[in-house]
Amino acid sequence: MAEILSQKEIDALLSALSTGEISAEEMKQDKKEKKVRVYDFKRPNKFSKEQLRTLNMIHENFARLLTTYLSAHLRTLVQINVFYVEQMSYYEFISSVPNPSIIGITDFNPLKGSGILEINPNIAFAIIDRLLGGPGEFEGKIRGLTEIETTIIEKVIKDILRILKDAWDNLINLNLALVNIETNAQFIQLIAPNETVALITFNGKIGKTEGMLNLCIPHILLEPIINKLSARYWFSDVKKESSGENIQQIAYIMKKSLVPININLGRSTITIRELLEIQKGDVIQLDKKVNEAVDVYIGSRLKFRGHPGILKNKMAVEITDIVEEVENGYE
């Protein structure tokens, strides 16, 4: 494609011609000279820019879904963003992975081959700490995983792969499966060292802990669907996708979402002195009768009414009525 000059460059060129700084003959001579572009045959570019942009779009969607999942699952501030997408040799990727690290070898069935999901230990230990009741911070020395930590991180990686599958569903129906977890990248020989891979790097933040997540996908694995990695195919495929499948995906994600539920048993007015003098066994009279329905709030909205009780030695509420939206004051 011919180089397009800006208006500023055109004005400068005309000015140089008018002042005699450059002649038309010199311009013709420069045009005749062949432009040489450096090409390294040891590292051929197998992914086009358009294909890399498509991979970027797919995994931006994945980053949003993963942020939503981890925020609800860990109940803390989580932010996952695509940092960059590039192609490199498999050797370069393996050499850049720290040791030890959390490396999940992933099967991309029905595509033939495996990819790598590498999680920085800072992020992995922050997730483990949060799931075990901690603040979700990690400032200790990098080390290998214990058996309990390995079991926890295996479940987290499997959930991440399920979300990655959802992100790829518009392009291909993948059955992603975790094959194994390694800590030393030098022991993983999936493909030849000089093979080209697509590296999608994510910047992750969990609470105050930051780290990188890397997804390595070999070109040979994506070769059967490489023609589909174009923006034209991507957008046309999204339009053709049936609304029923979209609804199922949204319903599946919503079912996994956590929302706060509050039960309002009633209200009462007491003095501060009475509040300070409350003892075990005291009775506070509420403004609701025993057989009267209680209000059930989803978040801050009144959605149901029901009756409190006991189920399997645990406090519970039986939903008996759905509050109409008009009653809530909105349509």
Side-chain angles (χ1 to χ4, degrees):
M1 182 182 291
E3 185 178 356
I4 300 175
L5 300 178
S6 65
Q7 186 60 47
K8 186 176 181 180
E9 290 171 331
I10 294 173
D11 294 340
L13 184 60
L14 292 174
S15 176
L17 284 172
S18 60
T19 56
E21 294 180 10
I22 187 172
S23 64
E25 294 298 327
E26 291 177 355
M27 291 179 61
K28 291 179 181 178
Q29 185 177 357
D30 291 339
K31 188 176 180 180
K32 290 179 180 178
E33 292 179 0
K34 294 183 179 179
K35 294 182 179 179
V36 179
R37 183 165 58 93
V38 178
Y39 186 85
D40 188 353
F41 287 93
K42 295 181 180 179
R43 295 180 53 193
N45 293 328
K46 294 187 177 181
F47 291 97
S48 67
K49 291 183 179 180
E50 185 179 18
Q51 290 165 351
L52 293 176
R53 282 195 298 268
T54 303
L55 288 174
N56 186 78
M57 287 192 300
I58 292 173
H59 293 95
E60 278 182 351
N61 183 36
F62 165 68
R64 287 192 293 269
L65 294 175
L66 183 58
T67 299
T68 302
Y69 164 76
L70 290 178
S71 298
H73 198 57
L74 303 179
R75 298 190 180 185
T76 189
L77 176 64
V78 176
Q79 190 172 359
I80 308 292
N81 297 310
V82 176
F83 191 56
Y84 58 81
V85 178
E86 64 177 347
Q87 57 182 318
M88 60 175 59
S89 68
Y90 180 68
Y91 174 78
E92 287 176 316
F93 166 70
I94 291 298
S95 301
S96 66
V97 177
N99 182 27
S101 189
I102 314 301
I103 306 167
I105 302 174
T106 305
D107 183 27
F108 274 68
N109 189 52
L111 299 177
K112 295 182 179 180
S114 300
I116 291 177
L117 175 63
E118 186 260 327
I119 305 176
N120 187 276
N122 290 336
I123 293 292
F125 282 111
I127 293 174
I128 293 171
D129 182 71
R130 185 62 183 167
L131 290 175
L132 294 178
E137 298 178 3
F138 178 75
E139 298 178 353
K141 185 179 179 181
I142 302 299
R143 55 174 175 80
L145 296 174
T146 64
E147 290 185 9
I148 295 176
E149 291 169 342
T150 301
T151 302
I152 294 173
I153 207 67
E154 275 184 3
K155 184 181 183 305
V156 172
I157 291 178
K158 287 178 181 177
D159 289 339
I160 292 175
L161 295 180
R162 174 181 55 78
I163 297 171
L164 181 61
K165 174 190 180 305
D166 293 340
W168 276 82
D169 270 350
N170 287 335
L171 200 66
I172 182 175
N173 185 18
L174 294 173
N175 295 317
L176 300 175
L178 178 63
V179 178
N180 193 19
I181 292 181
E182 296 284 352
T183 56
N184 191 342
Q186 301 300 324
F187 296 151
I188 304 174
Q189 299 297 330
L190 295 182
I191 53 177
N194 60 344
E195 285 288 340
T196 303
V197 299
L199 179 64
I200 302 95
T201 300
F202 303 89
N203 183 31
K205 183 175 182 182
I206 297 177
K208 297 180 180 179
T209 304
E210 293 190 32
M212 296 291 185
L213 291 86
N214 291 310
L215 180 62
C216 172
I217 307 177
H219 177 272
I220 194 172
L221 186 148
L222 294 175
E223 205 165 14
I225 60 167
I226 199 69
N227 293 332
K228 295 182 180 180
L229 291 177
S230 65
R232 183 181 303 174
Y233 182 91
W234 173 260
F235 286 116
S236 64
D237 196 63
V238 169
K239 291 176 182 177
K240 291 177 183 177
E241 191 177 18
S242 63
S243 59
E245 293 178 356
N246 287 334
I247 292 173
Q248 288 179 359
Q249 288 183 5
I250 294 172
Y252 179 81
I253 295 172
M254 290 183 66
K255 286 179 180 179
K256 295 291 183 180
S257 301
L258 300 177
V259 293
I261 299 178
N262 299 308
I263 313 298
N264 187 352
L265 298 176
R267 293 181 173 82
S268 181
T269 303
I270 61 175
T271 64
I272 295 178
R273 180 181 296 277
E274 290 172 333
L275 176 64
L276 296 175
E277 294 176 353
I278 287 179
Q279 300 293 327
K280 183 178 180 180
D282 289 349
V283 177
I284 300 176
Q285 185 176 357
L286 304 178
D287 59 353
K288 286 184 178 292
K289 298 179 181 179
V290 176
N291 59 352
E292 190 175 349
V294 298
D295 296 332
V296 181
Y297 288 84
I298 305 297
S300 60
R301 290 184 173 181
L302 175 62
K303 298 296 294 183
F304 307 102
R305 287 195 174 90
H307 293 285
I310 301 293
L311 179 64
K312 296 182 180 179
N313 295 325
K314 294 184 179 180
M315 292 185 292
V317 61
E318 180 184 10
I319 303 298
T320 58
D321 190 22
I322 299 176
V323 178
E324 297 292 336
E325 295 182 348
V326 176
E327 187 177 340
N328 271 324
Y330 63 92
E331 295 183 0

